[in-house]
Amino acid sequence: MDEEQRARRWFLAVWAIVTVVKVAIAARLPLFVDEAFYWQEGQHLAAAYSDLPGLTAWLTRLGVELGGHHVLAVRAPFLLIAAVLPWLVARSAARWFGVVVGWQAALLTVLMPLSGTLGLLALPDVPMALATVLCADAGARMLRGVDATSATELALGLMLGALSHYRFIGVIGVGLIALLCLPQGRGVLRDARVWVALAAGLLAWAPLLAWNLEYADAGLRFQLLDRHPWRFHGDGARFLLVQAALATPLLFWAMLVVSVRGIRGEGGGERGTGPEWRYFALLGAVSTFGFFLLGFFADNERVSFHWTLPGYLALLPVVPLLLREWPRQRRLAAWGLAAAGMLLMLAYYVAVSVPGLRLQAAGSKYYPENFAGWDRLAMEVEQARARMPEGTALLADSFKTGAELGFALADARIPVLDHPLNRKHGRAPQLQLWGLQHEGRVSAPTLLVVGATDVKFSALLARYQQLCSVIGPLPPPQAVNIDHGARRFLLFALPGIRQSGTCVSPVVAHIAVPQAGARVARRFSVGGWAVKDGAGVTRVEVLLDGRVVAAATDFTDNVWLQQFLKGASRDPRMPRVQFEAQVDASGLPAGKHWLGLRVTGGDGSVETWAEQPVVLR
């Protein structure tokens, strides 16, 4: 009894603290790009969407309807589901392996970073995790005998999963494999009540299937074909390192051991000898090893580390049985590493939610650009529109900009231009259905918002040229540099009619010397290049912490640049676009400073380029 009370107290304390901290973070953390699009889908209620079934969008709509237009309201239903999830794991594990194991499994669910951070973001993985736990528990109950309660739980889990994500098809397949591997499981599949539950789950896919039938299988093609190369690549080898980090190393090892024992049909130690133990182990094993193999052939451009979560949720109820076999020091280390991993993940989200801390990451590969700058952009957009004629329309260049600006301005109907990102993320068909896919023909004053950092640097000039071909000649832009330009937007005030003449693109520039983060003397050289289609560059001023410290007006040849830029530059000065300037920073203190450019075009326009850090010795 003392062990049971101790396990219960530990779970309650940690669960309460983590839940409160998550709510506090979720109230401050800017919307991730996908969250903003799910909010936008929730403002256009439908049975299904191009990228997902309907449940995620419905939950975001429910949140804002009950809680108002706020990031916490968007995430509130997901936080609630995530808070309930460990209790369901506790109930399931306690039923088969004892109350102590139940509380320990629930505590692991809270501490494992991949499951413990659920709900911080309004993502489909949250209801899908709930569906997974319900189905796994129902399957275990059926091994001892099918009844109305277990069949109803299975049907509910299957329906929630079908309404959550295409990936839930994999969860269903894994469950069927696990049942077929067990004699008791094959008996379960002969019961008519199980097939009634499966039929109910199948009906829940009807809205998604209907959407795909009506729109030429656009969603299925994206999820199964367009986003996956389906050819071998070596990125899958990173699976072990990534998963060991996100599940924490010793806990990940414990789950692998349980998986192997389940495949071999070995016992799980004390209380781990019944069919339920092997059933949970097989669920996790088939899922985890399956995604490991899939990682060598599937999408390697988008985030996929969370795909393994359903398998881990099946393994967690039995992992405490294995931990009991370990020496005390290793067992404590496993718990300690899990807690440390969860603290690190929460600290990351805290850092992302604090503008000053985000700023410190500017210029590095760790900068969280999909969370950053949307409030500042919305403020700049409102101010720019106020300077334009009354009734000026707003036009975004991609779904990312349209959705995030839409939430910031409480406008879910901002039209969007065709953009590679719309197709890459499967959002183009949905934008077309909403009538928000803009062809670029402007018939009234319009403010065009372009995310300059949303395309690869080498393709930036080609993107500007493509905008010219769609919109017509572009006016000089207003640059919005967020966090020293780590996130960069351009605002174009378009007149009511298409202009004629040569396309004058925004500036594309690069500082080659010194490199970002380099340590430099108080007197140092700055070298690089700058191009501007249609007008050329007449002057490049070097900025240090926003102040002009040098200027270059003489340019030399850069013959390799045309090969680097995917869109051949139409700068009239090509190839004389290389500049060099001498900086005297003797009056500045040692330490980190920000080096930038202010570029004057041949048309008289002035544009501030992004900054990069240097360290004065």
Side-chain angles (χ1 to χ4, degrees), residues 233-246:
H233 55 78
D235 289 351
R238 296 180 301 181
F239 175 90
L240 294 177
L241 291 176
V242 172
Q243 294 302 315
L246 291 171

Side-chain angles (χ1 to χ4, degrees), residues 518-571:
R519 297 179 65 87
V520 297
R522 298 307 177 89
R523 297 175 185 271
F524 62 95
S525 296
V526 175
W529 52 264
V531 300
K532 187 176 178 69
D533 276 13
V537 172
T538 59
R539 181 181 178 86
V540 175
E541 294 171 294
V542 179
L543 309 178
L544 204 57
D545 297 333
R547 295 173 53 249
V548 177
V549 292
T553 55
D554 294 327
F555 299 85
T556 56
D557 288 353
N558 188 327
V559 295
W560 63 268
L561 188 58
Q562 287 284 36
Q563 296 177 347
F564 170 75
L565 296 172
K566 293 185 178 180
S569 175
R570 297 161 193 156
D571 186 312

Side-chain angles (χ1 to χ4, degrees), residues 476-479 507 532 541 597-601 603-609:
Q478 173 192 340
V507 167
K532 187 176 178 69
E541 294 171 294
L597 304 174
R598 187 161 66 200
V599 182
T600 302
D603 59 348
S605 62
V606 178
E607 188 176 331
T608 303
W609 188 250

Side-chain angles (χ1 to χ4, degrees), residues 127-205:
M128 186 170 145
L130 173 62
T132 299
V133 171
L134 290 174
C135 288
D137 181 65
R141 294 177 66 168
M142 288 177 173
L143 293 175
R144 294 290 177 94
V146 179
D147 57 19
T149 301
S150 59
T152 301
E153 183 181 23
L154 178 62
L156 178 60
L158 291 172
M159 292 167 65
L160 286 174
L163 295 172
S164 298
H165 203 288
Y166 285 87
R167 286 200 312 273
F168 193 73
I169 296 173
V171 176
I172 298 173
V174 167
L176 289 174
I177 292 173
L179 289 174
L180 288 171
C181 288
L182 298 170
Q184 299 90 336
R186 293 191 289 273
V188 166
L189 293 175
R190 288 193 288 268
D191 194 294
R193 288 167 293 186
V194 174
W195 289 98
V196 171
L198 291 172
L202 181 62
L203 286 176
W205 291 97

